Amino acid sequence: MAAATITLRLTIADPVVGVAYSLQDKANTPVGPRIAGDGPISFDAPATLSDDGRLTGPFVRREGPTRRFVYIAIGTSAGQHASEWSRRAKIDVHDIPADLLAQARQGRVLEVVLPGRARDGGPGCATVRPLQGWRAV
């Protein structure tokens, strides 16, 4: 079986209105920044799924031998220079179940729903735990 390109959809359920969000590539460059409105905001990140189930690609970063994650840049980190916020949300992707990865290999998009707010009322940041686990859509 060859490596396959899959899509990881990161959906922020309740982003802070008026704040910029974007994917962040490995060079820390914001990609596809958008200003949040009243509803959820989603980003599709392409990833390469290897034969052994590891994820790599332009947005997938690694930490140690097994941890893989994707960053969502927020506020100034997403290129919104006048923002009061400068944060990143780290979304783990190394723990996506193998059965879902198999569905992604067949063309399904894998989506995770994330909280948009931190305890201080600002954008959720650091390692963000999903509101709903990964699912194939």
Side-chain angles (χ1 to χ4, degrees):
M1 185 178 342
T5 300
I6 66 169
T7 301
L8 304 174
R9 180 168 295 150
L10 312 171
T11 298
I12 302 165
D14 186 23
V16 177
V17 175
V19 175
Y21 292 78
S22 73
L23 288 172
Q24 189 176 66
D25 68 13
K26 289 180 182 177
N28 294 327
T29 303
V31 176
R34 286 183 269 159
I35 304 298
D38 288 334
I41 189 169
S42 295
F43 296 95
D44 285 355
T48 301
L49 175 59
S50 68
D51 291 342
D52 64 2
R54 283 181 300 114
L55 291 171
T56 59
F59 300 104
V60 179
R61 297 180 184 223
R62 58 182 285 185
E63 190 174 275
T66 58
R67 187 175 190 190
R68 301 281 192 278
F69 60 91
V70 175
Y71 274 132
I72 293 178
I74 303 163
T76 60
S77 297
Q80 186 182 30
H81 303 293
S83 177
E84 66 181 289
W85 305 106
S86 184
R87 295 183 170 180
R88 292 191 303 187
K90 181 187 270 189
I91 298 90
D92 285 325
V93 299
H94 63 275
D95 53 1
I96 298 173
D99 64 318
L100 290 179
L101 292 174
Q103 291 181 54
R105 192 178 288 279
Q106 299 303 315
R108 303 281 300 271
V109 172
L110 299 184
E111 180 181 42
V112 67
V113 178
L114 306 159
R117 310 281 173 131
R119 288 185 185 164
D120 66 1
C125 60
T127 298
V128 177
R129 301 288 176 221
L131 293 171
Q132 300 172 12
W134 289 95
R135 66 187 179 120
V137 294

